[in-house]
Amino acid sequence: MIKKAKQVTIYDIAKTLNISAATVSRALTGNVDVKSDTREKILNAASNMGYSSNNFASNLRKKQSKMIGVIVHRLNSHFLAETLAGIEKSLNMAGYHMIISQSHESVAAEIKATKAMLKNRVDGLLVSLCYDNDTTRHFDELINQGVPVVFFDRTPINGEYDHVKIDNFKAAYEMTMHLIRQGYKRILHITASQRRDVYADRLAGYKQALQDSNIAFNKDLVLVTDLNPEYGVEAANYIMNMKARPDAVFTVNDFLAVTCMKALQKMGISVPRDIAFAGFNNDPISKLVTPSLTTVNYDGVKIGQLAARTLLNKLTEKINAKSNIVMAHELVVRESSVKKN
Amino acid sequence: MIKKAKQVTIYDIAKTLNISAATVSRALTGNVDVKSDTREKILNAASNMGYSSNNFASNLRKKQSKMIGVIVHRLNSHFLAETLAGIEKSLNMAGYHMIISQSHESVAAEIKATKAMLKNRVDGLLVSLCYDNDTTRHFDELINQGVPVVFFDRTPINGEYDHVKIDNFKAAYEMTMHLIRQGYKRILHITASQRRDVYADRLAGYKQALQDSNIAFNKDLVLVTDLNPEYGVEAANYIMNMKARPDAVFTVNDFLAVTCMKALQKMGISVPRDIAFAGFNNDPISKLVTPSLTTVNYDGVKIGQLAARTLLNKLTEKINAKSNIVMAHELVVRESSVKKN
DNA sequence: CTGTTAGCGCCTTCAG
DNA sequence: CTGAAGGCGCTAACAG
């Protein structure tokens, strides 16, 4: 067991300088009048003695932690990593730190993490919900105690909570329309839990596009997955065994699209000639794969920054309005969905 | 400004139940003898009153935070995201939380983050050094105060600090040997700052393999980059303009390899016929690109878990030996480096 | 098994 | 401009 050196406190500095701890505190926090030469003496002593302010004591006293909790389903996802990078950047600029937990798509873990965040007295919480969560009671507990919560990407189904997201309905509608305009009619949609708004909204957009194009919705052309990347291969097998194969596949994320596409190619399917492909997220891989993948682009870093700033605003501003922010997205049309004649 | 509800304390519970705060504390922490029915009464009251233990007060008293600091150069990197996922998992299982900062490859930011970690009284620190850092004084300050620091992946050049990494020299040696055995003789190595051990070690491995194969080292065949992915295109142009082009390219990361390879392919180069390629990291992209990319695989999640566990061990164990852990790696030979006749 | 007491280190009135 | 005093909420002796 490593024993910690006893830490230097403001009292130690005060004693050395024969002044009071109050003055030391004032000089160190810098925001009150202290004679400039005593301030200098204090700063020097602090530096020489290796003083480092104890945030626990300070936080306990001030009842604020300058810490923001972040709960995501996993860290090793391209999109979430981008988002977290954006969050960290914005928080850091504002002098906040972030403490992260993974829910691993488990509601129980999400609840546990939320409770831990409360104990750590985070000043606010940023959340992207886990896969099949449909309860938000554990967040209400925080909110009721005055700890603001902002959701990003995967948000509660009812729009009653502050959130930052893209218009998933519209994006999926546009993508489906793009495929239809290219002449594809049997579009297979690979999606995930309909309890998660992002996937439900995308399916709705897909359906609407079919309807607006007078194409009958066929529920055999919707596959619900758990987003496990290996499912791409399974989906490919499913497609090969269909009596009437789709002429296009539209998945809710790029990775799934790419693994499925690669598996089909190995089985002799030509993309996009036999089957076209479209994904979602603009993962770096979508640009580099052959054929390059048509997808929906939106800026994860920006979403993160915006979510963080929205939260910080709630912390500091007088007004307490609900923020429902919709970020821009764009279709990125690449080779995988363009019909060659 | 949101005003926080005044929080429920053990004193509130004590008052309600007409007992002492000490007993409440004991019942809540659970590790001391309390009569079972008073314990139950306390637990009920705590739940009803919406009590949540204040970690600041507890930490201040106990002088331990159950928080581990993590400093990395960025969050949105596939390898680091994997590592962080591993770290979070191990810490979480041990009841620890993690607080993350990005250095953005800036020594100043790294130093600032380290100081903030100290103020937050983290129990330990996990670090992957920033790009051109060559000073470790800021970490010594923590270590001297009894806060253990474990480095992973990018570690201090001198091996005097605890660390978890792979044998970069050996991996690069093996990869270069593989290329040489395939018949490639003019192997371009694209690397990064030689102040970072990982890149210096890989260059050394590359050189050793050449020497052991009686191929003269040619410094025109080493490119030093800042790891910006756009550099891949630049490198491709550089290659096209060389009087004597390389017959193989070995880069220190997959992303660079793929962008360079794709750029060359667009300019009419055939891979691997004209130029072979090998990368490093086994990024998911390496498997899905055409041709699939030969690379070095090592498990980021495991490295993270191991780094976290190493740190936790130092926190709890009596012995205080240095841990220099070398993780396994393996060559993954794919299409991009295999000579076809 | 339970209560009393005394801080952990810091900040913030209130006096001077 | 500076000092004294009290308390943020919790835990760890020390007594009963």
Side-chain angles (χ1 to χ4, degrees):
Chain A
M1 178 77 95
I2 294 168
K3 33 183 170 358
K4 296 205 185 175
K6 62 185 178 317
Q7 55 180 306
V8 180
T9 73
I10 53 172
Y11 288 102
D12 297 324
I13 298 177
K15 204 179 292 175
T16 318
L17 263 39
N18 261 316
I19 53 177
S20 78
T23 304
V24 176
S25 171
R26 281 190 275 254
L28 257 21
T29 49
N31 44 8
V32 197
D33 315 85
V34 180
K35 217 201 308 177
S36 66
D37 63 328
T38 58
R39 150 169 286 122
E40 203 169 332
K41 261 189 284 182
I42 291 169
L43 262 30
N44 279 336
S47 165
N48 292 334
M49 299 170 72
Y51 171 81
S52 167
S53 171
N54 183 327
N55 276 0
F56 294 147
S58 165
N59 293 341
L60 178 59
R61 182 60 230 246
K62 293 196 294 189
K63 289 172 180 279
Q64 57 136 349
S65 63
K66 289 278 178 180
M67 299 254 270
I68 300 296
V70 181
I71 300 177
V72 293
H73 65 102
R74 60 188 293 202
L75 288 164
N76 42 348
S77 128
H78 171 73
F79 170 69
L80 284 176
E82 292 278 325
T83 313
L84 291 173
I87 291 173
E88 199 272 349
K89 196 174 169 197
S90 288
L91 292 184
N92 193 26
M93 276 169 50
Y96 282 76
H97 290 271
M98 79 174 176
I99 157 169
I100 297 189
S101 268
Q102 297 183 97
S103 68
H104 294 291
E105 305 286 23
S106 142
V107 184
E110 190 180 282
I111 292 174
K112 194 176 153 218
T114 308
K115 294 208 162 141
M117 295 296 181
L118 183 53
K119 283 190 184 184
N120 278 321
R121 295 295 190 272
V122 294
D123 289 342
L125 191 62
L126 291 167
V127 181
S128 175
L129 289 171
C130 71
Y131 189 80
D132 56 359
N133 177 316
D134 53 6
T135 168
T136 44
R137 250 175 279 156
H138 43 303
F139 299 117
D140 291 335
E141 200 178 331
L142 284 213
I143 295 169
N144 292 338
Q145 302 221 10
V147 181
V149 179
V150 172
F151 295 88
F152 62 93
D153 192 42
R154 297 167 164 198
T155 70
I157 290 279
N158 73 48
E160 288 174 19
Y161 294 84
D162 295 283
H163 62 250
V164 178
K165 58 198 292 200
I166 63 160
D167 189 336
N168 286 290
F169 176 89
K170 193 167 165 229
Y173 180 88
E174 289 167 358
M175 181 60 85
T176 310
M177 275 304 197
H178 158 71
L179 292 171
I180 293 172
R181 277 197 215 98
Q182 289 289 317
Y184 302 108
K185 291 202 162 68
R186 288 184 56 77
I187 303 169
L188 177 70
H189 184 48
I190 306 185
T191 181
S193 173
Q194 292 300 300
R195 287 154 108 178
R196 212 44 306 114
D197 58 329
V198 289
Y199 310 121
D201 290 352
R202 288 175 199 174
L203 177 59
Y206 161 84
K207 282 184 179 172
Q208 187 66 48
L210 293 183
Q211 189 180 319
D212 289 359
S213 311
N214 295 312
I215 300 178
F217 172 70
N218 176 349
K219 72 177 181 352
D220 293 342
L221 289 178
V222 173
L223 251 45
V224 176
T225 84
D226 62 359
L227 290 184
N228 191 321
E230 280 130 49
Y231 190 85
V233 179
E234 230 175 283
N237 290 327
Y238 174 86
I239 290 168
M240 290 305 277
N241 289 328
M242 286 172 81
K243 287 152 296 187
R245 292 191 191 146
D247 52 13
V249 176
F250 169 31
T251 69
V252 290
N253 79 45
D254 288 339
F255 209 78
L256 212 52
V258 171
T259 50
C260 181
M261 183 171 91
K262 285 284 146 189
L264 284 174
Q265 284 175 324
K266 270 195 188 139
M267 297 187 267
I269 298 289
S270 162
V271 178
R273 208 191 53 210
D274 302 331
I275 301 181
F277 265 88
F280 214 105
N281 279 10
N282 199 20
D283 192 288
I285 207 171
S286 61
K287 190 178 174 187
L288 297 164
V289 77
T290 309
S292 57
L293 183 69
T294 292
T295 187
V296 175
N297 178 53
Y298 51 109
D299 189 332
V301 176
K302 246 188 211 153
I303 288 184
Q305 290 183 298
L306 207 51
R309 269 191 238 132
T310 303
L311 185 64
L312 294 176
N313 283 343
K314 292 185 79 71
L315 248 30
T316 51
E317 277 176 17
K318 315 292 175 223
I319 47 163
N320 190 11
K322 209 122 270 170
S323 304
N324 295 342
I325 296 177
V326 178
M327 293 278 300
H329 67 265
E330 56 174 343
L331 242 58
V332 180
V333 176
R334 299 206 182 95
E335 300 160 352
S336 69
S337 71
V338 176
K339 209 153 206 168
K340 302 167 192 167
N341 301 316
Chain B
M1 181 77 97
I2 294 167
K3 28 182 168 23
K4 297 206 183 173
K6 62 184 177 321
Q7 54 180 306
V8 180
T9 73
I10 53 172
Y11 288 103
D12 297 325
I13 299 177
K15 204 179 290 175
T16 317
L17 262 38
N18 261 317
I19 53 177
S20 80
T23 303
V24 177
S25 171
R26 282 190 275 255
L28 257 20
T29 51
N31 43 6
V32 196
D33 315 86
V34 180
K35 217 203 307 178
S36 68
D37 63 328
T38 57
R39 151 169 286 124
E40 203 169 333
K41 261 189 284 181
I42 291 168
L43 261 30
N44 279 335
S47 165
N48 291 335
M49 299 170 72
Y51 171 80
S52 167
S53 170
N54 183 327
N55 276 0
F56 293 146
S58 167
N59 292 342
L60 179 59
R61 185 60 231 248
K62 294 197 293 189
K63 287 172 181 280
Q64 56 135 359
S65 62
K66 289 277 179 182
M67 300 254 270
I68 300 296
V70 181
I71 301 177
V72 293
H73 64 103
R74 58 187 295 202
L75 288 165
N76 43 348
S77 127
H78 171 72
F79 170 69
L80 284 175
E82 292 279 325
T83 313
L84 291 173
I87 291 174
E88 200 273 349
K89 198 175 169 196
S90 287
L91 292 184
N92 193 26
M93 277 169 51
Y96 282 76
H97 290 271
M98 79 173 176
I99 157 169
I100 297 188
S101 268
Q102 297 183 98
S103 67
H104 294 293
E105 304 286 24
S106 140
V107 184
E110 191 182 280
I111 292 174
K112 194 175 153 218
T114 308
K115 294 209 162 141
M117 295 297 181
L118 182 54
K119 282 191 185 185
N120 278 321
R121 294 295 189 270
V122 293
D123 289 342
L125 191 61
L126 291 167
V127 181
S128 175
L129 288 172
C130 70
Y131 190 80
D132 55 359
N133 178 316
D134 52 7
T135 168
T136 44
R137 249 175 279 157
H138 44 305
F139 299 117
D140 291 334
E141 201 179 330
L142 284 213
I143 295 169
N144 292 338
Q145 303 221 7
V147 181
V149 179
V150 172
F151 295 88
F152 62 93
D153 192 43
R154 297 169 167 197
T155 71
I157 290 280
N158 73 48
E160 289 174 18
Y161 293 85
D162 295 283
H163 61 251
V164 179
K165 59 197 293 197
I166 63 161
D167 189 337
N168 287 291
F169 175 90
K170 193 166 165 231
Y173 180 88
E174 290 167 359
M175 181 60 86
T176 310
M177 275 304 197
H178 158 71
L179 292 171
I180 293 171
R181 276 198 216 97
Q182 289 289 315
Y184 302 109
K185 291 201 164 68
R186 287 183 55 79
I187 304 170
L188 178 70
H189 184 48
I190 306 185
T191 181
S193 173
Q194 292 299 302
R195 286 154 108 175
R196 220 27 318 109
D197 57 329
V198 289
Y199 310 120
D201 290 352
R202 289 176 198 172
L203 177 58
Y206 161 83
K207 282 184 181 173
Q208 187 66 48
L210 294 183
Q211 188 180 318
D212 289 359
S213 310
N214 294 314
I215 299 178
F217 171 71
N218 176 349
K219 73 179 188 338
D220 293 342
L221 289 178
V222 173
L223 250 46
V224 177
T225 83
D226 61 0
L227 290 184
N228 191 321
E230 281 131 48
Y231 190 86
V233 179
E234 231 174 284
N237 290 326
Y238 174 86
I239 290 168
M240 289 306 276
N241 289 328
M242 286 170 81
K243 285 151 297 185
R245 290 189 193 149
D247 52 14
V249 176
F250 170 30
T251 70
V252 290
N253 82 45
D254 287 340
F255 208 78
L256 212 52
V258 170
T259 49
C260 181
M261 183 170 90
K262 284 285 147 190
L264 284 174
Q265 285 175 324
K266 269 196 188 138
M267 296 188 268
I269 299 289
S270 163
V271 177
R273 207 191 52 212
D274 302 332
I275 302 182
F277 265 86
F280 214 104
N281 279 11
N282 199 20
D283 192 289
I285 207 170
S286 61
K287 190 179 174 186
L288 297 164
V289 78
T290 308
S292 57
L293 183 69
T294 292
T295 188
V296 175
N297 179 53
Y298 51 108
D299 189 333
V301 176
K302 248 189 212 153
I303 288 185
Q305 290 183 299
L306 207 52
R309 269 192 239 130
T310 303
L311 185 63
L312 294 176
N313 283 343
K314 292 184 79 70
L315 248 29
T316 51
E317 277 177 18
K318 315 292 174 224
I319 46 162
N320 190 12
K322 209 120 269 169
S323 304
N324 295 342
I325 296 176
V326 178
M327 294 278 299
H329 66 266
E330 56 174 344
L331 241 57
V332 180
V333 176
R334 300 206 183 94
E335 300 160 352
S336 69
S337 70
V338 175
K339 209 154 210 170
K340 301 168 191 165
N341 302 316

